[in-house]
Amino acid sequence: MDKIAVLVPCYNESKTVKKVVEDFRRVLPEAVVYVYDNNSTDGTAELAQEAGAVVRHEYQQGKGNVIRRMFREIDAEVYLMVDGDDTYPAEAAPEMVKKVVEQQSDMVVGDRLSSTYYTENKRPFHNFGNSFVKNCINRFFDTNIQDIMTGYRAFSYQFVKTFPVLSHGFEIETEMSIHAADKHMQVDHVIIEYRDRPEGSVSKLNTFSDGFKVLTRIMNLYKNYKPLGFFSLLSAILAVLGVAFLIPILTEYWQTGLVPRFPTLIVCGFVLIAALQSLFAGLVLQSMEQKNKQDFEMQLIAAHERYQELLKDGERGA
């Protein structure tokens, strides 16, 4: 088992990957730097290998697929995930690792938004999107994570081996943040100095399509992690619509004793039944989610036992 594993997912980062590998090897000489190439066509893998990284490949396109492969294949005491675009300073890595080792953090977030992100980043919609997503998640999940979509994070062994990677693309960071908040894992922050991509390096993010994917993922995760809140909201909306259309019918019936709009009355009845069903669905799914949380605690115990076994094996090997 590695002491520290630096995980660098890459897709066409030939302009920057060599510097990223060299920087992290310099500040974390005891770490193994893994570059996972995701079908690059510009020689990224070769440059990373020349710089001293262990190069592996993931052939399913998408950052989420790369992270899934990394987490599955690598055993380490501490994991440090960083993008290969040289926008994150390697100098912050020792402090992030220290929080995992000494303060038992499950996830350490490299916080860009509290420092230079809004001045360095030249894409205003990205600035708005990061703030919007942060506020949504902190409100929905009652947490206080300062940078939801940063690609610079440190993890414990227990987090990595119990995190179910479901996203395929750039929504993965959002999924990590929500998972940590929902499972009451210890999340700490290190403020980092973000810098924009160097000249010639091109972002793979599409502001609108990827932003839509992130928002869709937030709603899906809210439904899965907070089913009572989601279905109660849906039930309330249906109930309001049903009652709003039902009131004129009842008023007319009280005044005349007649119900001339039977189709509307029937639809209102079905809408109110759907509202009731939605509420009960939320109650049932909330009970199931509680059981999932109990099972997750047992998974954490099993992961911790496996972690201790790997440490003992390493000591015997040494």
Side-chain angles (χ1 to χ4, degrees):
M1 183 170 67
D2 300 324
K3 184 175 180 60
I4 303 170
V6 178
L7 311 180
V8 189
C10 279
Y11 172 60
N12 287 342
E13 299 289 4
S14 60
K15 299 287 184 182
T16 54
V17 67
K18 187 174 182 180
K19 181 178 183 299
V20 170
V21 173
E22 291 173 346
D23 285 351
F24 279 89
R25 292 189 69 198
R26 171 174 51 81
V27 300
L28 294 172
E30 70 275 34
V32 180
V33 180
Y34 294 90
V35 170
Y36 273 66
D37 182 63
N38 194 206
N39 303 313
S40 296
T41 57
D42 63 350
T44 293
E46 292 77 11
L47 289 168
Q49 194 164 18
E50 290 175 10
V54 176
V55 177
R56 296 179 181 175
H57 298 270
E58 169 55 49
Y59 297 102
Q60 291 189 87
Q61 198 66 39
K63 187 175 183 180
N65 292 323
V66 178
I67 299 301
R68 181 185 298 109
R69 178 75 62 183
M70 289 175 159
F71 284 5
R72 184 190 307 162
E73 292 183 350
I74 297 171
D75 290 327
E77 295 182 40
V78 182
Y79 299 79
L80 188 76
M81 184 184 79
V82 64
D83 292 339
D85 56 9
D86 193 32
T87 57
Y88 300 110
E91 288 72 21
E95 183 180 357
M96 296 172 72
V97 169
K98 184 178 180 181
K99 285 184 177 291
V100 175
V101 174
E102 297 184 3
Q103 299 181 23
Q104 300 178 335
S105 300
D106 290 300
M107 182 172 73
V108 181
V109 175
D111 178 11
R112 310 161 296 169
L113 304 187
S114 299
S115 61
T116 56
Y117 183 80
Y118 294 112
T119 55
E120 282 289 316
N121 184 47
K122 305 302 189 295
R123 293 154 292 185
F125 283 109
H126 284 210
N127 295 340
F128 169 78
N130 272 280
S131 296
F132 181 74
V133 169
K134 181 185 80 169
N135 292 332
C136 283
I137 289 179
N138 285 335
R139 180 176 294 272
F140 288 165
F141 293 91
D142 191 26
T143 187
N144 191 33
I145 299 176
Q146 295 302 310
D147 192 346
I148 300 295
M149 301 176 70
T150 179
Y152 198 14
R153 299 168 189 250
F155 307 102
S156 66
Y157 178 89
Q158 286 82 359
F159 182 97
V160 167
K161 296 305 180 182
T162 59
F163 172 55
V165 182
L166 302 178
S167 298
H168 301 294
F170 285 98
E171 319 93 273
I172 184 66
E173 286 95 353
T174 304
E175 187 175 340
M176 289 174 174
S177 300
I178 292 175
H179 175 76
D182 181 72
K183 296 301 187 293
H184 305 292
M185 291 187 154
Q186 182 176 330
V187 179
D188 288 307
H189 299 79
V190 171
I191 296 176
I192 62 170
E193 297 294 320
Y194 176 86
R195 52 182 178 253
D196 204 5
R197 282 174 171 267
E199 186 176 352
S201 177
V202 180
S203 174
K204 315 305 182 300
L205 279 171
N206 183 290
T207 302
F208 298 102
S209 64
D210 286 315
F212 179 76
K213 290 177 184 177
V214 168
L215 294 177
T216 302
R217 191 72 191 138
I218 290 173
M219 291 308 300
N220 284 332
L221 290 171
Y222 183 68
K223 173 177 67 68
N224 294 336
Y225 286 132
K226 303 283 187 181
L228 183 57
F230 179 87
F231 285 100
S232 294
L233 178 61
L234 180 60
S235 176
I237 293 172
L238 291 172
V240 168
L241 288 174
V243 171
F245 284 97
L246 185 62
I247 286 176
I249 296 174
L250 294 177
T251 301
E252 192 170 6
Y253 173 75
W254 288 330
Q255 291 174 350
T256 66
L258 300 174
V259 183
R261 291 181 288 174
F262 261 107
T264 304
L265 177 64
I266 293 171
V267 171
C268 288
F270 279 114
V271 170
L272 291 173
I273 291 172
L276 191 61
Q277 288 180 326
S278 179
L279 178 61
F280 278 104
L283 290 170
V284 172
L285 291 173
Q286 188 67 33
S287 298
M288 295 175 64
E289 173 61 15
Q290 182 63 33
K291 178 63 167 60
N292 290 338
K293 288 182 178 180
Q294 293 171 353
D295 292 341
F296 178 78
E297 292 301 319
M298 302 307 295
Q299 293 174 25
L300 278 179
I301 293 172
H304 180 71
E305 290 174 352
R306 172 62 177 160
Y307 175 70
Q308 295 298 324
E309 289 175 4
L310 289 171
L311 287 178
K312 291 176 182 177
D313 289 345
E315 290 173 359
R316 284 196 292 265

